[in-house]
Amino acid sequence: MDSDLTLRAGIKDTIPTMFGYMGVGMAFGVVANTSHLPLLAILLMSLLIYAGSVEFVVTAMLVAGDPISAIILSAFLINSRIILMSISISPYFKRDSMRQNFFIGSLLTDETFALAMTKINQTEGRLTLAWFNTANILAYLSWILATAAGALLGSLINDAKQFGLDFALVAMFIGLLYLQIINDHSKSIQLQLTVVFAVAVMMYFFMRWLPGELALLLASILGCFLGMGLSRSHAD
């Protein structure tokens, strides 16, 4: 990855994410198909929800027969972290229109956010609409195609868990965390690992008393404040 912020650079920089989406998207398609969801429902989830973790959870809740209200609330809580990501991204597009900002936020994911954070380290804090829209759209299209392919492939697999496909999303997040830590030169690796460890510990304890989605949101917010505090203390 270099400092180029053109459409062509967006295509080149997004290729690794697209391959990652192909693996995770196919895994979701297989899991959803083996959970007896119809192909149309799988495609609509990928088109409208477009959130890997949410789609896995929604599939499990549909199979369990949970009420629609609980599914909607769970989906909102799980994806509420995107609000924090959008707030982090918005300063780079202050001069662009509300419509353009809305389009970027609509397709923002954990992976494209991590990609943007890595790009910022290479461009001295700059992002462009051409680069970001290219990354978002390519990631979106690759996810849809991958879930469709996985759904078709799922008819040939009886149990997705025997191939470890239910762990695909977790593995991708671990890889993204690793890339973020080694590429973010604005903060020391020790500081980043400290925050990661603190968030993991908070998650462990919060999940004893809170639903997983609320525990994740609370631990993430507290992790942000911890990181800010440690950064300021190191600067002083």
Side-chain angles (χ1 to χ4, degrees):
M1 184 178 291
D2 53 30
S3 60
D4 190 2
L5 285 166
T6 61
L7 185 149
R8 178 177 294 182
I11 295 174
K12 182 184 69 175
D13 294 339
T14 311
I15 288 175
T17 299
M18 293 172 63
F19 279 111
Y21 270 21
M22 292 302 293
V24 179
M26 290 185 67
F28 166 70
V30 171
V31 170
N33 181 279
T34 54
S35 298
H36 307 294
L37 289 185
L39 177 61
L40 180 60
I42 297 172
L43 288 177
L44 285 176
M45 276 203 288
S46 293
L47 282 166
L48 302 177
I49 298 178
Y50 183 45
S53 55
V54 174
E55 290 178 46
F56 275 101
V57 170
V58 168
T59 298
M61 295 181 75
L62 286 173
V63 172
D66 291 326
I68 297 298
S69 58
I71 295 175
I72 293 174
L73 179 60
S74 297
F76 172 77
L77 291 175
I78 295 171
N79 245 23
S80 57
R81 67 190 185 280
I82 300 296
I83 298 173
L84 300 177
M85 297 179 189
S86 297
I87 293 173
S88 299
I89 288 294
S90 60
Y92 300 98
F93 300 98
K94 290 187 294 185
R95 297 182 179 180
D96 298 301
S97 68
M98 180 67 72
R99 179 180 58 82
Q100 291 168 324
N101 275 267
F102 181 80
F103 186 71
I104 288 177
S106 297
L107 295 181
L108 184 66
T109 64
D110 299 277
E111 294 77 21
T112 55
F113 174 79
L115 192 65
M117 291 297 100
T118 302
K119 191 69 174 181
I120 287 170
N121 294 324
Q122 305 293 328
T123 61
E124 299 181 353
R126 294 183 300 111
L127 290 173
T128 64
L129 287 172
W131 182 89
F132 215 147
N133 283 331
T134 300
N136 274 342
I137 292 172
L138 287 178
Y140 180 54
L141 293 177
S142 62
W143 177 259
I144 294 170
L145 292 174
T147 54
L152 296 174
L153 181 62
S155 59
L156 305 176
I157 299 177
N158 295 323
D159 184 9
K161 292 183 178 180
Q162 68 179 344
F163 297 100
L165 294 178
D166 55 326
F167 190 72
L169 193 65
V170 178
M172 187 173 185
F173 281 136
I174 292 174
L176 287 169
L177 175 62
Y178 170 75
L179 291 175
Q180 174 65 18
I181 289 176
I182 64 172
N183 284 296
D184 189 355
H185 303 297
S186 65
K187 305 172 188 66
S188 69
I189 292 180
Q190 181 181 0
L191 173 61
Q192 295 182 72
L193 290 178
T194 299
V195 174
V196 169
F197 178 76
V199 170
V201 172
M202 286 189 285
M203 275 291 297
Y204 175 79
F205 286 103
F206 288 163
M207 288 188 69
R208 294 189 173 194
W209 302 287
L210 298 172
E213 297 81 12
L214 284 176
L216 175 61
L217 181 61
L218 182 58
S220 298
I221 294 174
L222 292 177
C224 290
F225 283 114
L226 175 62
M228 290 171 56
L230 292 176
S231 296
R232 289 177 180 175
S233 63
H234 288 172
D236 295 337

